[in-house]
Amino acid sequence: MNACLLLAAAAVVAFATPAWPQQPIVVKFSHVVAVDTPKGKGAERFKQLAEERTKGRVKVEVYPNSTLFKDGEEISALQLGSVQILAPSLAKFGPLGAREFEVFDLPYMFRDYGELHKATEGPVGKALFQKLESKGIVGLAYWDNGFKVMTANRPVRVPDDYRALKMRIQSSKVLADQMKALGAVPQVMAFSEVYQAMQTGVVDGSENTPSNIFTQKHHEVQKYLALTDHGYIGYAVIANKKFWDGLPADIRTTLEGAMRDATAYANEIAKKENDDALEGIRKSGKTQILKPTPEENAQMRKALIPVHKEDEPRIGKEVIEQVYQAVGFKP
Ligand code: LMR
C-alpha cells in the first residue's frame, strides 16, 4: 500500500515538472569593434536588458572584435542564420546591394549628431530599413559612433598631401571616390586587418573615428592624425528577419524595448567616448595631432564636395535630396 502511494506521488511529481528545463532562446550578436566603444557598450547594454527583462528566456551572446565573423563574412552569415544580430557600419551595405546606405558616407553631409539624427530618425531612416526586408534582414535601430579623422604617416593637411597615399577604407564606393578625389589610392580592407596593414606598410593611412583608432591602437602605428571631421561612421543594428519574426510575440516586444533603451544609451555615450579616445591618443604622445586651419578645411571641402554629384547615380538622387532636406545641407 505504501509502495503504491509512493509510486502514485512520484507519478504526480513527474507529470507536474517538465522533463527538461526550458532552453533559452540564444541570440548571437556579432560585431567587429572593441567592447570599450559606443557600439561595444551598446551591445553589452542590450544583452543585459534583454536577459533581465525576459527573465532568462533569452540569452544574448555578444561576440566583439571580429571573434565570430569579420567584415565581408558577417552579412551573409546573418542571412544564413549563423548569427542573429549584427551592427555593421552604414558604409558596409553596398556589397549587399543596398547602395542607398552610402548616402551617409558623403563627405561633410552632417555637421553634428543632431543633423544626423534628423536623417536616421525620420522617413529616410525608415525607408532604408524597408529596403533590407527583401534581403531577409530587419532593421532594428541606428547607433552612433562619430565623426571621422584622417591618419597617415605623413602630415595630411590639404588634398595635395594625400597624393598617392594608400588609404584603407570600408567597403563603400563613395569612400573610394572620396579618397580618389584627394589623389589617394583607396584600399578596401576588413577592420580586423587594419592595424597589421598599417604596421607593415601595406597601407599608409586611413580614416576612422577616435574611438576606433584608440581601441585598435592605430595611433601607435600612424605618425599623424588630422582632425578633419569630414564624414560620419554610424551603424544599422540588423537582425535575421525569419528569426526575428519567428520569436514569440511577447519576447519580440520585450527585445524591441531592450533595443530602444540600448539605442538611447549607445547614442548618449557616443560623443563622450570619442572625445575621451581623442584625449587618450593625445596623451599617448605616439601620434601628432593636426588641427586644420579654416583655409585648409576649405581646400578639403572643395576637393570632396564634388563626390556628392559623382555618386548620385549610384546612391540615387531621391535619397540624397531627402537627406539634404532633412539636414538642411546645401552643396
Ligand atoms: C571600420 O571598418 O572602420 C568600421 O566600420 C568599424 C566599425 O564597426 O566601427
Side-chain angles (χ1 to χ4, degrees), residues 278-291:
L278 186 60
E279 200 41 41
I281 295 170
R282 200 186 297 277
K283 278 203 190 118
S284 78
K286 304 232 176 195
T287 191
Q288 191 179 329
I289 297 183
L290 309 172
K291 173 119 186 70

Side-chain angles (χ1 to χ4, degrees), residues 96-164:
L96 181 71
R99 299 162 167 190
E100 299 87 348
F101 280 79
E102 290 178 12
V103 73
F104 291 100
D105 297 330
L106 288 172
Y108 301 105
M109 179 70 108
F110 311 100
R111 278 175 301 190
D112 53 40
Y113 289 94
E115 285 192 355
L116 184 269
H117 292 160
K118 285 185 187 155
T120 52
E121 288 166 16
V124 180
K126 278 204 186 70
L128 287 175
F129 276 171
Q130 266 157 20
K131 302 242 176 253
L132 298 177
E133 304 253 326
S134 63
K135 302 175 196 301
I137 293 174
V138 56
L140 302 178
Y142 290 98
W143 285 5
D144 287 331
N145 185 339
F147 289 83
K148 290 182 285 189
V149 299
M150 296 282 199
T151 64
N153 278 329
R154 79 159 83 120
V156 277
R157 294 190 170 88
V158 291
D160 267 356
D161 300 331
Y162 290 85
R163 197 154 307 279

Side-chain angles (χ1 to χ4, degrees), residues 10-23:
V12 167
V13 172
F15 282 108
T17 322
W20 291 283
Q22 221 184 351
Q23 294 296 315

Side-chain angles (χ1 to χ4, degrees), residues 74-81 83-88 92-93 95-98 101 126-141 236-245:
E74 62 173 18
I75 293 194
S76 42
L78 183 85
Q79 288 178 302
L80 288 169
V83 59
Q84 287 71 44
I85 299 188
L86 301 174
K92 293 177 183 168
F93 285 79
L96 181 71
F101 280 79
K126 278 204 186 70
L128 287 175
F129 276 171
Q130 266 157 20
K131 302 242 176 253
L132 298 177
E133 304 253 326
S134 63
K135 302 175 196 301
I137 293 174
V138 56
L140 302 178
V237 186
I238 54 176
N240 175 295
K241 185 167 160 48
K242 201 164 155 216
F243 168 80
W244 196 256
D245 291 348

Side-chain angles (χ1 to χ4, degrees), residues 2-316:
N2 273 355
C4 277
L5 271 176
L6 272 177
L7 269 178
V12 167
V13 172
F15 282 108
T17 322
W20 291 283
Q22 221 184 351
Q23 294 296 315
I25 299 167
V26 175
V27 180
K28 291 188 180 140
F29 185 160
S30 169
H31 66 80
V32 301
V33 297
V35 176
D36 210 11
T37 56
K39 177 162 67 180
K41 290 185 176 179
E44 291 301 325
R45 180 61 66 100
F46 172 70
K47 169 185 169 66
Q48 179 211 334
L49 297 176
E51 291 180 353
E52 264 171 31
R53 293 180 188 175
T54 58
K55 304 198 171 38
R57 283 174 69 199
V58 168
K59 184 171 183 298
V60 180
E61 294 174 357
V62 181
Y63 297 90
N65 258 324
S66 311
T67 45
L68 189 59
F69 294 109
K70 54 184 195 168
D71 290 332
E73 310 169 337
E74 62 173 18
I75 293 194
S76 42
L78 183 85
Q79 288 178 302
L80 288 169
S82 314
V83 59
Q84 287 71 44
I85 299 188
L86 301 174
S89 102
L90 299 165
K92 293 177 183 168
F93 285 79
L96 181 71
R99 299 162 167 190
E100 299 87 348
F101 280 79
E102 290 178 12
V103 73
F104 291 100
D105 297 330
L106 288 172
Y108 301 105
M109 179 70 108
F110 311 100
R111 278 175 301 190
D112 53 40
Y113 289 94
E115 285 192 355
L116 184 269
H117 292 160
K118 285 185 187 155
T120 52
E121 288 166 16
V124 180
K126 278 204 186 70
L128 287 175
F129 276 171
Q130 266 157 20
K131 302 242 176 253
L132 298 177
E133 304 253 326
S134 63
K135 302 175 196 301
I137 293 174
V138 56
L140 302 178
Y142 290 98
W143 285 5
D144 287 331
N145 185 339
F147 289 83
K148 290 182 285 189
V149 299
M150 296 282 199
T151 64
N153 278 329
R154 79 159 83 120
V156 277
R157 294 190 170 88
V158 291
D160 267 356
D161 300 331
Y162 290 85
R163 197 154 307 279
L165 284 185
K166 286 175 276 161
M167 296 293 279
R168 180 268 170 176
I169 54 162
Q170 306 175 79
S171 57
S172 154
K173 175 79 170 34
V174 171
L175 297 180
D177 290 338
Q178 170 200 268
M179 290 303 182
K180 286 184 197 155
L182 294 173
V185 184
Q187 312 259 314
V188 174
M189 185 178 289
F191 186 59
S192 54
E193 286 157 19
V194 180
Y195 177 88
Q196 207 187 354
M198 286 171 166
Q199 195 181 34
T200 54
V202 169
V203 295
D204 302 306
S206 184
E207 56 169 8
N208 225 310
T209 60
S211 69
N212 277 348
I213 293 169
F214 189 54
T215 52
Q216 299 296 322
K217 300 188 167 48
H218 293 173
H219 61 293
E220 294 184 1
V221 283
Q222 296 277 272
K223 293 198 176 79
Y224 298 92
L225 181 157
L227 298 170
T228 45
D229 284 342
H230 61 282
Y232 167 82
I233 292 186
Y235 310 106
V237 186
I238 54 176
N240 175 295
K241 185 167 160 48
K242 201 164 155 216
F243 168 80
W244 196 256
D245 291 348
L247 286 169
D250 62 324
I251 295 272
R252 193 170 50 246
T253 305
T254 308
L255 293 187
E256 279 164 2
M259 182 56 70
R260 221 173 7 255
D261 293 346
T263 299
Y265 167 75
N267 292 353
E268 189 185 301
I269 63 167
K271 181 169 186 315
K272 184 163 183 325
E273 289 289 317
N274 277 295
D275 290 348
D276 290 351
L278 186 60
E279 200 41 41
I281 295 170
R282 200 186 297 277
K283 278 203 190 118
S284 78
K286 304 232 176 195
T287 191
Q288 191 179 329
I289 297 183
L290 309 172
K291 173 119 186 70
T293 63
E295 292 72 30
E296 288 165 353
N297 265 332
Q299 282 195 51
M300 289 292 284
R301 275 187 85 92
K302 189 161 176 249
L304 294 179
I305 292 292
V307 173
H308 288 226
K309 258 272 156 303
E310 185 184 343
D311 278 311
E312 192 183 273
R314 177 176 171 83
I315 300 170

